[in-house]
Amino acid sequence: MTTTAESSRTEAALILERCDDLAGLSSQPERLERVHLSPEHKAANALVAQWMEEAGLSTWQDAAGNQCGRREGTEPGLPALLLGSHIDTVPDAGRYDGMLGVLLAIAVANRLRDVPLPFALEVVAFSDEEGTRFGTALLGSRALAGTWNDDWWNLTDADGITLFEAFQDFGLDPARLPGAFRRPEQLVGYLEAHIEQGPILDDADRRLAVVTSIAGARRFALTITGHAGHAGTPYDRRRDALAAASELVLEIERLAKQQGVLATVGKLEVFPGGLNVIPGRVEFTLDLRAEFDTDREECLRLVHESGEEIARRRDVSLHVSELYRADAVACDLDLRAAFEAGIRSTGDASPMAFWSRAGHDGMAVSAVAPVGMLFLRCKDGVSHHPDESVTRADVAAALDAYEAAVRALAG
Ligand code: GLV
Ligand code: MN
Ligand code: MN
């Protein structure tokens, strides 16, 4: 089938409609939240499986809850080129982060359904990239990559449900998890399309970019413990955990800016939480990310130093435990070249290329396969927010570039 500009726009419109359909599968009536191994995740897998089948793929849900689809290459059993992204969300999410990449991948498979390929083509909708439910991210892609850590079975969600129990509630058998693992010889590579989640494309008025590398990130749970007490207590008798946490949060921002690192305190809870009670304990999180792991580590060292100084001075204690770590990953040069060729085929003679500030499933998949990524513009760079927005024309261009990249790899 020859693709015309008009048919690309029609396919893009379908992709956007499907993003809307998935956005309807939410645990919250007023906002989008779909977390790992939830009933909404199950419903999303079923819908995605149906779309995969319509695109000519044979489908299965793997032992980690990833929804997979596959078509064979010129002979059965060839190593697979994986295309995909994730279908879990952050709280109060936008509808394109992850989902758009899955739907673009399905549309590429559909376009190539009758084209003989020297590799099998698989589409994967990863079950957990964000880590919203269990704090540890990339659980779906780490299962596929075989880099699973059995300690994760004891992770708990906000209701105290362990990951082990959540697997069982979803109908998965934790003992069968190794069935999801892939070996390097089974894979040709992994290509992912994703909204940029930053303003570089929008500011430059460009549609698409090739990703050079994915930022590494570490996430921590921090607890500051002081002493709760009456709001009438004089200052020299207070051990206010929230005042200490506030100081540390601002210090984290200052240090991160100074080191060229991105730091986010995204959750903070105050205990006991009475309006006339001095906070006795504060629990908060820290996400630290950077293009280069060495910069991130230096920033972390300074944050630790500063945290200890604040704790000493305010007579509180600070406890830090790590929730997640993924080091920076360079995208594969051949896969970058394929996406560059793909973008050029859309009429952009000099594709932009830059590193991803956001984390992606490719960080995990890189343990077993080379990884390449395509970014498309999102309005004002806004993401992890319901205002996430893309244009139909950009989605059409991304689809053309994605298909052309797969064709380039097919030779
Ligand atoms: C995922 O979106 C991340 O970058 O944290
Ligand atoms: Mn995200
Ligand atoms: Mn994402």
Side-chain angles (χ1 to χ4, degrees):
M1 186 186 86
T2 341
T3 311
T4 61
E6 198 191 326
S7 65
S8 295
R9 280 197 299 273
T10 309
E11 288 165 277
L14 178 64
I15 288 169
L16 293 176
E17 241 172 65
R18 288 176 170 180
C19 287
D20 293 345
D21 292 341
L22 285 174
L25 301 175
S26 172
S27 60
Q28 307 298 322
E30 302 295 334
R31 55 194 160 88
L32 173 55
E33 180 169 327
R34 187 174 52 250
V35 298
H36 192 203
L37 305 175
S38 59
E40 302 75 39
H41 174 196
K42 194 179 277 268
N45 272 3
L47 199 50
V48 165
Q50 181 193 319
W51 294 330
M52 286 176 168
E53 278 164 27
E54 286 165 20
L57 304 175
S58 316
T59 62
W60 71 99
Q61 182 182 271
D62 78 6
N66 298 312
Q67 181 60 50
C68 306
R70 175 179 170 109
R71 54 151 282 191
E72 297 301 331
T74 42
E75 53 183 277
L78 289 172
L81 179 66
L82 295 185
L83 315 180
S85 193
H86 60 97
I87 56 167
D88 66 315
T89 77
V90 293
D92 202 8
R95 61 190 56 198
Y96 303 113
D97 171 4
M99 287 68 82
L100 182 59
V102 172
L103 298 171
L104 279 163
I106 294 173
V108 169
N110 187 48
R111 280 189 175 186
L112 297 172
R113 62 192 303 155
D114 299 320
V115 177
L117 294 171
F119 39 71
L121 196 65
E122 287 192 23
V123 178
V124 189
F126 286 111
S127 58
D128 171 72
E129 185 266 5
E130 304 286 8
T132 305
R133 181 167 179 190
F134 292 101
T136 294
L138 302 174
L139 291 173
S141 38
R142 282 180 164 169
L144 179 137
T147 52
W148 189 263
N149 179 341
D150 278 330
D151 292 346
W152 294 336
W153 292 122
N154 298 319
L155 292 168
T156 48
D157 70 6
D159 298 322
I161 298 170
T162 64
L163 181 61
F164 190 92
E165 290 161 346
F167 259 63
Q168 291 177 321
D169 294 346
F170 197 73
L172 294 168
D173 178 356
R176 300 177 87 95
L177 184 81
F181 298 178
R182 309 291 184 97
R183 293 188 310 279
E185 59 274 21
Q186 298 173 308
L187 301 172
V188 172
Y190 172 66
L191 293 183
E192 175 167 352
H194 204 286
I195 54 169
E196 181 202 323
Q197 306 184 279
I200 299 174
L201 281 168
D202 203 27
D203 285 353
D205 196 21
R206 305 282 291 273
R207 292 188 195 289
L208 303 173
V210 181
V211 177
T212 52
S213 68
I214 308 173
R218 293 179 75 175
R219 295 180 184 170
F220 302 91
L222 293 90
T223 304
I224 292 186
T225 310
H227 203 275
H230 196 281
T233 307
Y235 283 115
D236 62 353
R237 302 283 181 96
R238 293 184 185 215
R239 295 170 58 211
D240 184 331
L242 181 57
S246 306
E247 206 179 316
L248 182 54
V249 169
L250 290 178
E251 189 59 7
I252 287 170
E253 185 187 54
R254 190 186 68 76
L255 291 168
K257 279 184 176 168
Q258 176 189 297
Q259 298 295 315
V261 168
L262 295 163
T264 303
V265 174
K267 279 169 97 168
L268 189 146
E269 283 183 285
V270 179
F271 301 94
L275 96 180
N276 55 353
V277 183
I278 295 165
R281 190 172 89 251
V282 172
E283 295 179 359
F284 59 109
T285 58
L286 170 63
D287 175 303
L288 263 191
R289 56 183 72 199
E291 181 177 14
F292 302 109
D293 296 336
T294 43
D295 294 344
R296 186 196 61 208
E297 292 309 295
E298 177 57 8
C299 181
L300 185 60
R301 192 184 67 73
L302 295 171
V303 167
H304 273 299
E305 253 180 34
S306 177
E308 278 163 22
E309 188 278 318
I310 292 168
R312 249 193 325 271
R313 182 163 37 79
R314 289 183 168 271
D315 195 17
V316 297
S317 68
L318 168 66
H319 180 262
V320 182
S321 74
E322 186 161 36
L323 296 171
Y324 162 83
R325 176 180 184 145
D327 287 341
V329 163
C331 292
D332 177 75
L333 290 179
D334 291 338
L335 300 185
R336 273 172 64 174
F339 269 137
E340 259 155 29
I343 296 175
R344 272 197 215 94
S345 78
T346 66
D348 177 349
S350 53
M352 287 184 84
F354 51 85
W355 60 281
S356 171
R357 280 76 177 158
H360 297 287
D361 293 295
M363 303 170 95
V365 180
S366 68
V368 279
V371 167
M373 285 197 74
L374 173 73
F375 269 171
L376 68 145
R377 163 170 60 185
C378 56
K379 190 170 183 315
D380 296 328
V382 170
S383 181
H384 284 187
H385 189 276
D387 289 347
E388 247 172 36
S389 168
V390 294
T391 68
R392 187 170 65 145
D394 288 356
V395 172
L399 176 57
D400 291 344
Y402 204 172
E403 179 200 0
V406 175
R407 285 184 185 271
L409 291 172

